[in-house]
Amino acid sequence: MSTGHGANAVMTKPGSGRAATHRKSWWVAVAVRLMGAVIALWLVATLAFVVLQALPGGPAEAALGGPGSQASAEALQAAREQYGLDRPVLVQYGHFLGQLMQGDLGTSYSQKKPVADVMGPLLAPTLTLAVWALLAAWVLALMTAMVATGSSRVAARLASALELVASVLPGFWLAAVLIIVFATQLGWFPPVSTGTARGLVLPVLALAIPLAGYLSQTMREGMLNALASPYALAARTRGESPWGLRVRHALRHGLVPGINLSGWAFGYLISGAVVIETVFARPGLGRALLTAVTGRDVPLVLGVTLASALGYVLVTIAADALVRLVDRRAA
């Protein structure tokens, strides 16, 4: 009797094995993602080191301002000794990676202080701009995708046309148009960053509108495929309204590809911040990167690049975890 009772007890939990397998697969997926993130950051760091070594004149000449500085041989030798550039390349590479693992990004050539100290005050403004732009892009994309998959053919075609136009708008041109219309003509928002919420609106829109076009196209395709599936037809026969069909059945399938694109979207926003922060005179990593490139401040360029790569990796991991929550098939 006890054996049968034990068997019945096992049979009362048919999903326990599947739950354990799911947890194991989730942890395996997280471990694979983290390993991929470490490898990606290592590759970016290695590429950055190679580029630094391949600069015309070498890192020492770059530290003194580039070929235009016309530095003497004595000054170049002093720079090599100061920055440890007189050691073998493999030793420099190991020291470079060791510094990165300790959070040391080197010393800015132009500002003569640690790169982390230069980037610290600029990180928050750029992240604020990127996060708000991503949220605004999602709101615009969801609204457009919902209209584009609606029953009205005119509205759907208009929404599809807006998606296409928005996705190809150059950021510099769009920023200029926004300034002319909403700052100069209407006077609703300031033309340059003022550190207030009103000063953030135009830069956010300049970044969000093109991104919303890409996201909306992706979401619309996923939603249209879901609306053409058999279960959507069954929902229609049960009397489901077109709006309810889109919200309850199709929207989840549109969210998944949009979330998958969020990692790329973050990288797009960080790179776009170079132009937008310059146009709106807004402090941030974008303007710092532009200044570093023009001034040949290689450590600062590498620091901004690595910080952007780290942000991209973290957002990609978060997006993958969110997809597993939204889409059971991915889980």
Side-chain angles (χ1 to χ4, degrees):
M1 292 295 291
S2 60
T3 304
H5 179 73
N8 291 334
V10 174
M11 294 299 292
T12 57
K13 298 181 180 180
S16 59
R18 289 195 299 269
T21 303
H22 170 71
R23 287 193 297 270
K24 182 178 178 181
S25 64
W26 189 86
W27 282 110
V28 169
V30 170
V32 171
R33 276 290 188 179
L34 291 176
M35 186 179 299
V38 171
I39 293 175
L41 292 175
W42 170 71
L43 289 175
V44 171
T46 301
L47 179 61
F49 178 82
V50 172
V51 171
L52 177 62
Q53 296 295 322
L55 284 174
E61 190 169 358
L64 296 176
S69 64
Q70 298 180 348
S72 63
E74 293 79 7
L76 289 174
Q77 182 60 33
R80 292 189 185 96
E81 294 176 357
Q82 178 182 354
Y83 294 104
L85 302 175
D86 54 342
R87 293 176 290 183
V89 174
L90 290 180
V91 175
Q92 294 182 45
Y93 178 65
H95 180 68
F96 174 71
L97 291 181
Q99 284 183 309
L100 291 182
M101 293 177 66
Q102 297 174 14
D104 185 359
L105 299 173
T107 302
S108 169
Y109 291 162
S110 60
Q111 303 191 35
K112 306 302 181 184
K113 59 181 182 179
V115 171
D117 293 345
V118 177
M119 293 173 52
L122 304 176
L123 188 60
T126 298
L127 288 180
T128 300
L129 177 62
V131 169
W132 279 110
L134 185 59
L135 292 175
W138 264 94
V139 171
L140 294 173
L142 284 173
M143 294 171 56
T144 308
M146 293 294 287
V147 173
T149 54
S151 56
S152 173
R153 292 182 177 271
V154 176
R157 290 178 179 177
L158 179 60
S160 300
L162 288 175
E163 291 173 352
L164 180 61
V165 172
S167 63
V168 298
L169 289 177
F172 183 86
W173 179 87
L174 179 58
V177 170
L178 291 174
I179 291 175
I180 293 173
V181 174
F182 294 102
T184 304
Q185 299 295 329
L186 298 176
W188 291 356
F189 305 102
V192 297
S193 177
T194 58
T196 63
R198 291 180 67 248
L200 188 62
V201 172
L202 295 185
V204 165
L205 289 178
L207 278 176
I209 290 175
L211 178 58
Y214 286 111
L215 290 176
S216 182
Q217 291 179 44
T218 305
M219 293 179 188
R220 173 169 55 86
E221 183 178 354
M223 293 177 67
L224 289 175
N225 290 336
L227 290 173
S229 62
Y231 71 84
L233 179 60
R236 288 191 186 95
T237 59
R238 293 195 301 267
E240 184 73 80
S241 66
W243 177 260
L245 191 64
R246 280 177 285 164
V247 173
R248 295 187 182 92
H249 300 280
L251 183 58
R252 184 180 65 183
H253 294 272
L255 290 177
V256 171
I259 295 173
N260 280 326
L261 281 176
S262 294
W264 165 84
F266 184 82
Y268 164 83
L269 293 174
I270 295 298
S271 61
V274 175
V275 174
I276 300 305
E277 289 176 351
T278 303
V279 172
F280 290 96
R282 179 179 174 81
L285 291 180
R287 290 187 67 190
L289 178 61
L290 181 62
T291 303
V293 170
T294 55
R296 297 178 63 87
D297 192 341
V298 179
L300 186 54
V301 173
L302 299 184
V304 175
T305 303
L306 290 173
S308 302
L310 178 61
Y312 168 80
V313 167
L314 293 177
V315 172
T316 301
I317 293 175
D320 181 68
L322 188 57
V323 165
R324 293 173 179 273
L325 291 177
V326 173
D327 189 359
R328 295 180 181 274
R329 296 171 301 175

